[in-house]
Amino acid sequence: MSTKVLHVLYNDDDVLMEAVHKTRSAHHHIEEIYTPFPVHGLDKAMGLAPTRLAICAFLYGLCGLSFGTWMINYMMISDWPQDIGGKPSFTFIQNMPSFVPIMFELTVFFAAHLMVLTFYMRSKLWPFKKAENPDVRTTDDHFLMEVSVKDNEEEMISFFKETGAVEIKVIDKQ
């Protein structure tokens, strides 16, 4: 089953933002927006839910802190305790001030690396994946809004011309 979408091109981000507001108030469904750079406030204008990546970063940091604490305790207290500089390693708590930098670094390491993996999986960016950019001008200086068409194609084209669109194309998606 093929569905039709409109590819509406703009050449200014302020015009795009105003067009998004008008499109949402007219109850048209915006599939996706392609921009050459991040546009501040576009996610809120589209009505997208806030991201939960910060929660993931916190959990990944906790994993790194837990791993670092376990690793230091195992290496320096349980497995091979050493008397370094006249400071014996009897308990973890007594030596914790010297372990804080290692725990901090492992927290940051785990959070950073696991966030990169999460971002790639969430964005579906796999190695050797073909680009899904519908128009190459969106990597340079144009903004593309992809809007689904129900059965009012001509009405939508005239609506988007009024919003300041530079170019409008009707595309059949498979």
Side-chain angles (χ1 to χ4, degrees):
M1 176 178 150
S2 69
T3 59
K4 287 186 178 182
V5 294
L6 286 179
H7 283 180
V8 186
L9 280 161
Y10 297 94
N11 57 5
D12 186 22
D13 58 337
D14 294 327
V15 176
L16 171 74
M17 285 294 286
E18 188 62 34
V20 169
H21 289 297
K22 288 178 183 177
T23 304
R24 291 222 357 147
S25 64
H27 304 292
H28 297 300
H29 179 66
I30 300 172
E31 295 284 334
E32 188 66 67
I33 296 180
Y34 299 90
T35 63
F37 55 83
V39 178
H40 180 70
L42 186 59
D43 53 346
K44 288 183 182 170
M46 289 177 63
L48 298 176
T51 182
R52 294 183 299 272
L53 286 177
I55 296 169
C56 291
F58 178 73
L59 294 175
Y60 297 154
L62 281 179
C63 289
L65 180 64
S66 301
F67 177 76
T69 304
W70 171 82
M71 181 186 76
I72 292 167
N73 187 51
Y74 177 74
M75 287 181 186
M76 299 300 290
I77 306 299
S78 302
D79 185 43
W80 195 295
Q82 297 180 29
D83 186 356
I84 300 172
K87 300 175 187 172
S89 298
F90 294 126
T91 65
F92 181 82
I93 297 298
Q94 288 177 325
N95 294 317
M96 191 167 131
S98 61
F99 297 155
V100 167
I102 298 165
M103 293 187 304
F104 172 77
E105 290 299 330
L106 282 172
T107 301
V108 172
F109 180 85
F110 271 62
H113 286 79
L114 292 174
M115 280 302 295
V116 168
L117 293 175
T118 302
F119 173 75
Y120 283 141
M121 289 187 332
R122 179 72 179 95
S123 302
K124 298 178 183 151
L125 293 173
W126 314 115
F128 311 110
K129 182 181 182 206
K130 188 175 183 279
E132 295 178 4
N133 194 359
D135 193 328
V136 294
R137 292 177 288 179
T138 59
T139 62
D140 188 23
D141 61 350
H142 280 71
F143 304 85
L144 186 137
M145 181 169 28
E146 190 175 272
V147 183
S148 60
V149 176
K150 306 267 189 298
D151 50 352
N152 52 353
E153 184 178 319
E154 296 301 322
E155 177 186 325
M156 288 180 73
I157 290 174
S158 63
F159 170 78
F160 284 111
K161 282 182 183 175
E162 293 172 7
T163 63
V166 176
E167 184 180 323
I168 303 170
K169 293 182 205 171
V170 180
I171 307 291
D172 280 328
K173 279 185 123 178
Q174 267 74 21

